[in-house]
Amino acid sequence: MSERSTIFALSSGRPPAAIAVIRVCGPAAQLALERLTGRVPRPRQAALARVCDPASGEIIDQALALWFPGPHSETGEDMAELQVHGGPAVIAAVLDALGRVEDCRLAEPGEFTRRAFENGRLDLTAVEGLADLIAAETSAQRRQALRQLKGLIGDRAEAWRQKIIEALALVEAGIDFPDEADVPKDLVAPALGAAQQLRGEIGARLADGGCGERLREGLAVAIAGPPNAGKSTLLNRLARREAAIVSPYPGTTRDVIEVHLDLGGYPVMLIDTAGIRDSNDPVEQEGVRRARERAAAADLVLWVIDASVSGQAVEDFNKNVDKSNIWIVHNKIDQVGDELCRDDLSQPADEALTTFPISAILGTGIDALVMALAAYARDYFSVTESALITRARHRAALAATVAALDRALREGKAGREEVIAEELRAAATALGRLTGRVDVEDILDVIFRDFCIGK
Ligand SMILES: Nc1nc2c(ncn2[C@@H]2O[C@H](COP(=O)(O)OP(=O)(O)OP(=O)(O)O)[C@@H](O)[C@H]2O)c(=O)[nH]1
Ligand SMILES: [Mg+2]
């Protein structure tokens, strides 16, 4: 530990701001405080401090200084914090002065959190929860991230791992006493019983429809339909900004355009796509291919048709899509007479389809559509409060655990203890990877790289 360098960084947001928080972590944190402020405040108590350049003695700023001696700090190491005035020149001068203290250097992205992980203050799922909390854009995302940070999946995985290790110990005890004929069977049966129960528990968690991951990324709502129906106008209206180009020429949108929305506290990713039609233009063809692909993969499709043009049908882009996941949006109702509009909408071609009459240009009917979308998101996410899995990484680790438990169970009571033990060990290792207890060096860089500097 003594060889460790001391890191520092601006931990608060982009300057200028009223206050900027600069954190220092590592063995030389105390020295850095002494050099810059002349003293070390009492642990965990804010103290007024004059921050000076150690070389020239020039006063840089009047600040608040805090001292968190390890191991009872966020990272588990000695930490100092300076709350200075948030101007770029003040921050630059303090960082420059810190850089001249022996063994101190600027932190890499996520390096504070990485130290907290290495010192056992956070497990890997909590680290991911922390990253999600910083990135959370809606209240539902914030709640999910906080649950994960506080150990919802990490603690559960660790408890499962302990049970597997207990089962493994039973089987291994059986292997150690091969001469006493009765012992192994007596030990293996309860071990397999425990494995069976765990397999059921973890399997149930895997069968959650992926809503935890969806909450991180947002519910995918694709806007699709024939060219010129007003899809991009609708996207802009819902996003309340000009995110997509609108023009009177059919075939305007080519690329897929994504906009993140907060609908009643739930995250929705709205996807505008190219108008679907046959075309000779290779660029448009590619746009149409992507449009079909995104619509087929979306949770909900808003199929937009021009109400002033008759005979526009809904494309059967995916036979597996549930009808309730396609809503028909009759746009441009400002262009049709009252009567025609009412006739059209009271007799939808397919009774099973939900329809919304709107004018994307005037905003007519948009409130009803937004309310329906918010209700859809709320229903979709109503089960997420109990969702454990928020990332593909978690899903893969739990699936590997279940697969290993299945192999152990297949071996059965009459099976070879060595094989059962081996599979139980594999199950425990898969769970250990989830929380970062075993050989995860390869994924650490990937996880911490997503953090900002100063966290
Ligand atoms: N009158 C009227 N015109 C609209 C309405 N919504 C869109 N438009 C017009 O319809 C034309 C096409 O609109 P876009 O939003 O570009 O249509 P699109 O479906 O995205 O078209 P592509 O990207 O080519 O597939 C533009 O001239 C819009 O101004 C509406 O509610 N009423
Ligand atoms: Mg468009």
Side-chain angles (χ1 to χ4, degrees):
M1 188 73 78
S2 60
E3 312 234 319
R4 230 170 173 20
S5 56
T6 296
I7 53 172
F8 61 89
L10 173 68
S11 287
S12 53
R14 179 192 291 268
I19 307 285
V21 177
I22 294 165
R23 297 199 298 170
V24 188
C25 165
Q30 182 167 1
L31 177 68
L33 261 187
E34 284 166 357
R35 286 278 167 82
L36 268 71
T37 68
R39 66 196 189 92
V40 177
R42 271 197 262 163
R44 293 173 295 280
Q45 286 189 15
L48 207 56
R50 187 177 285 171
V51 182
C52 297
D53 185 306
S56 66
E58 186 194 357
I59 299 176
I60 300 172
D61 194 13
Q62 184 96 330
L64 273 186
L66 289 130
W67 169 238
F68 303 98
H72 304 294
S73 69
E74 193 194 327
T75 59
E77 299 178 23
D78 283 353
M79 288 191 76
E81 190 173 304
L82 288 172
Q83 299 182 5
V84 299
H85 292 104
V90 173
I91 295 165
V94 175
L95 294 181
D96 182 54
L98 283 170
R100 280 182 275 121
V101 176
E102 301 92 285
D103 298 327
C104 287
R105 65 166 172 82
L106 210 54
E108 311 266 350
E111 202 172 3
F112 287 90
T113 312
R114 186 164 187 153
R115 289 201 173 182
F117 168 72
E118 285 167 358
N119 294 322
R121 305 289 291 176
L122 295 173
D123 78 19
L124 213 47
T125 62
V127 167
E128 289 166 330
L130 182 57
D132 288 349
L133 190 61
I134 294 170
E137 289 179 343
T138 72
S139 49
Q141 287 174 323
R142 171 179 57 75
R143 284 196 295 273
Q144 171 165 291
L146 195 61
R147 280 198 300 274
Q148 193 178 321
L149 173 60
K150 291 172 94 177
L152 183 73
I153 181 168
D155 292 353
R156 196 74 56 95
E158 188 48 27
W160 285 334
R161 198 175 75 97
Q162 288 305 330
K163 280 191 187 157
I164 292 177
I165 290 170
E166 282 164 25
L168 178 61
L170 288 177
V171 178
E172 280 179 339
I175 298 171
D176 288 343
F177 302 104
D179 294 338
E180 297 164 51
D182 295 337
V183 178
K185 295 288 168 291
D186 291 343
L187 293 170
V188 169
L192 288 174
Q196 179 77 55
Q197 195 196 332
L198 278 174
R199 197 259 169 252
E201 245 178 79
I202 303 174
R205 291 311 195 142
L206 279 167
D208 61 2
C211 56
E213 288 116 306
R214 197 58 111 239
L215 188 55
R216 275 190 74 230
E217 287 152 16
L219 195 69
V221 177
I223 304 179
N228 220 37
K231 299 180 296 300
S232 301
T233 310
L234 175 60
L235 176 94
N236 291 347
R237 168 69 64 179
L238 292 171
R240 299 212 186 97
R241 64 186 172 90
E242 303 299 309
I245 298 172
V246 165
S247 91
Y249 306 106
T252 301
T253 306
R254 303 293 180 87
D255 280 327
V256 171
I257 295 166
E258 296 179 353
V259 170
H260 288 264
L261 295 184
D262 177 342
L263 279 184
Y266 294 103
V268 167
M269 184 170 63
L270 205 58
I271 306 160
D272 183 24
T273 61
I276 292 178
R277 67 170 172 183
D278 293 332
S279 163
N280 294 325
D281 176 348
V283 181
E284 190 174 356
Q285 277 173 4
E286 175 60 17
V288 171
R289 190 192 66 75
R290 292 181 188 196
R292 288 210 172 96
E293 189 179 88
R294 295 305 288 266
D299 299 300
L300 177 68
V301 174
L302 301 181
W303 187 265
V304 182
I305 51 184
D306 186 335
S308 64
V309 177
S310 57
Q312 291 198 323
V314 181
E315 164 147 336
D316 195 8
F317 49 81
N318 186 352
K319 293 200 170 51
N320 300 322
V321 163
D322 189 335
K323 283 262 172 71
S324 63
N325 295 333
I326 305 171
W327 294 354
I328 307 299
V329 177
H330 290 266
N331 189 31
K332 308 196 189 182
I333 54 164
D334 54 291
Q335 294 282 61
V336 293
D338 256 6
E339 222 168 288
L340 173 61
C341 174
R342 220 177 294 117
D343 274 4
D344 262 6
L345 302 177
S346 59
Q347 293 165 1
D350 187 335
E351 308 256 333
L353 292 172
T354 314
T355 55
F356 292 88
I358 67 157
S359 166
I361 242 175
L362 300 180
T364 321
I366 294 294
D367 284 352
L369 180 60
V370 168
M371 271 166 61
L373 281 173
Y376 184 90
R378 195 177 53 239
D379 281 357
Y380 186 94
F381 287 123
S382 63
V383 284
T384 29
E385 294 290 316
S386 59
L388 210 56
I389 301 165
T390 61
R391 289 175 187 245
R393 192 182 77 80
H394 306 166
R395 193 166 290 284
L398 292 184
T401 308
V402 164
L405 288 175
D406 280 343
R407 289 194 300 269
L409 290 167
R410 260 204 306 278
E411 192 65 19
K413 290 176 197 151
R416 290 155 297 167
E417 289 84 26
E418 287 81 2
V419 177
I420 296 173
E422 186 53 38
E423 297 302 352
L424 289 178
R425 218 172 284 123
T429 303
L431 282 173
R433 279 213 187 90
L434 179 58
T435 53
R437 282 179 174 265
V438 289
D439 65 312
V440 286
E441 209 46 50
D442 47 336
I443 57 167
L444 287 185
D445 287 334
V446 178
I447 288 173
F448 288 100
R449 199 176 50 204
D450 287 345
F451 274 87
C452 38
I453 291 177
K455 188 63 220 173

